[in-house]
Amino acid sequence: MTEMLASARHQRILDALREREQVRVTSLAAELGVSEMTVRRDLNTLAARGALVKVHGGATLDAAPTSNEPGFVHKLALESGEKQAIAQTAAGLVRPGMSIALNSGTTTYALAAQCTGIKDLTVVTNSPRIAEVFYAAANPSQNIILTGGIRTISDALVGPLSLSALGQLHVDLLFLGVHGMTAEDGFTTPNMLEAQTNQAFIKAAAQQIIVADHTKWGVTGLCQIVPLGQVDALISGHRLDPEAQNILRQSLDSLILA
């Protein structure tokens, strides 16, 4: 594209921001008739100029980018179809008799619903919402372990009690939801205590699998959980940026697109 076309896109993005206060990558791509990758590059350019601030899945004029954390209910409505596809794919990796860990998040919440019928499953989680999914299913062969801790805005239990519990456990599979992921910063979260808890989850698991929809690419939270190459696999949606796919395949043992 020519510079004039890029300038026109930038102006339309800024106009949309002034009108709506916040814009999403997926919506802008449809409105502008370009790829989501092009929109992300436009947002990067405008953010570098100080014209906007990138947030999860899009941009705003005045939010703090790295420490902003939407609540659980707000996030539940975002990319729900893709999260369900990721959850179904992830559930296919779980076998009867396994021990698994699910951190707090809307994608792991979707995964929980897919796992309630699996026999002889032990589930470790720091999410009261996820624990309730399993309790409501009342599968007598399942064992649910809910860590203690202080509850965050995203309904995660964190802090010393959570770290102490996770430090005593060893699970076969960890499914970890994240706030953002980039080549430079790895997998991140806006909350320092959640980062520490997620790191404890990673240490407790024989195999670590990130579950994150495609909008998480290019987003950076305040705290790094782990670099890209220090987990085993990522399950994401098929709309994940092709450039991101190349980077992730070079960094991870496995990239699975649902």
Side-chain angles (χ1 to χ4, degrees):
M1 295 187 177
T2 66
E3 181 62 33
M4 183 177 295
L5 288 174
S7 297
R9 288 198 311 273
H10 296 169
Q11 188 58 54
R12 287 187 61 180
I13 290 170
L14 292 175
D15 289 343
L17 264 175
R18 294 186 186 100
E19 181 179 335
R20 307 174 207 165
E21 296 185 354
Q22 188 169 24
V23 292
R24 294 189 56 77
V25 170
T26 50
S27 299
L28 288 173
E31 292 171 21
L32 299 174
V34 297
S35 70
E36 292 183 14
M37 179 170 62
T38 297
V39 172
R40 291 183 191 281
R41 287 173 177 165
D42 288 342
L43 295 182
N44 284 337
T45 299
L46 291 167
R49 297 176 187 168
L52 55 76
V53 175
K54 288 183 66 181
V55 295
H56 172 63
T60 184
L61 287 175
D62 54 9
T66 59
S67 60
N68 181 56
E69 184 173 15
F72 185 92
V73 174
H74 172 76
K75 291 189 289 186
L76 196 62
L78 302 177
E79 306 296 337
S80 58
E82 184 173 335
K83 290 174 182 177
Q84 288 297 329
I86 293 169
Q88 290 175 4
T89 299
L93 302 176
V94 182
R95 301 286 180 265
M98 277 187 167
S99 58
I100 67 171
L102 305 174
N103 76 327
S104 180
T106 51
T107 306
T108 48
Y109 180 79
L111 173 55
Q114 298 287 332
C115 295
T116 56
I118 300 174
K119 293 182 178 179
D120 301 318
L121 190 67
T122 296
V123 181
V124 178
T125 184
N126 69 329
S127 167
R129 290 179 183 265
I130 287 176
E132 184 56 38
V133 170
F134 287 101
Y135 294 150
N139 185 333
S141 74
Q142 293 186 336
N143 183 30
I144 313 304
I145 301 172
L146 178 64
T147 70
I150 301 167
R151 200 165 185 165
T152 70
I153 190 172
S154 61
D155 280 345
L157 298 180
V158 299
L161 289 176
S162 182
L163 295 176
S164 177
L166 292 171
Q168 301 176 59
L169 300 173
H170 303 281
V171 299
D172 298 313
L173 286 178
L174 164 66
F175 295 99
L176 191 79
V178 298
H179 175 79
M181 51 185 177
T182 67
E184 298 80 14
D185 301 310
F187 301 106
T188 57
T189 174
N191 188 297
M192 184 178 297
L193 292 177
E194 282 199 44
Q196 293 174 347
T197 303
N198 290 339
Q199 289 161 0
F201 268 118
I202 289 171
K203 290 179 181 178
Q207 186 176 9
Q208 308 92 15
I209 302 172
I210 304 295
V211 287
D213 68 76
H214 77 286
T215 67
K216 303 294 180 68
W217 182 258
V219 176
T220 300
L222 178 67
C223 303
Q224 184 185 72
I225 301 168
V226 68
L228 294 184
Q230 292 188 17
V231 296
D232 295 301
L234 166 69
I235 304 176
S236 190
H238 66 275
R239 289 186 290 166
L240 182 65
D241 186 285
E243 182 180 344
Q245 293 183 36
N246 291 334
I247 293 170
L248 289 161
R249 285 195 173 99
Q250 292 172 13
S251 302
L252 303 170
D253 289 339
S254 179
L255 170 64
I256 304 169
L257 300 180

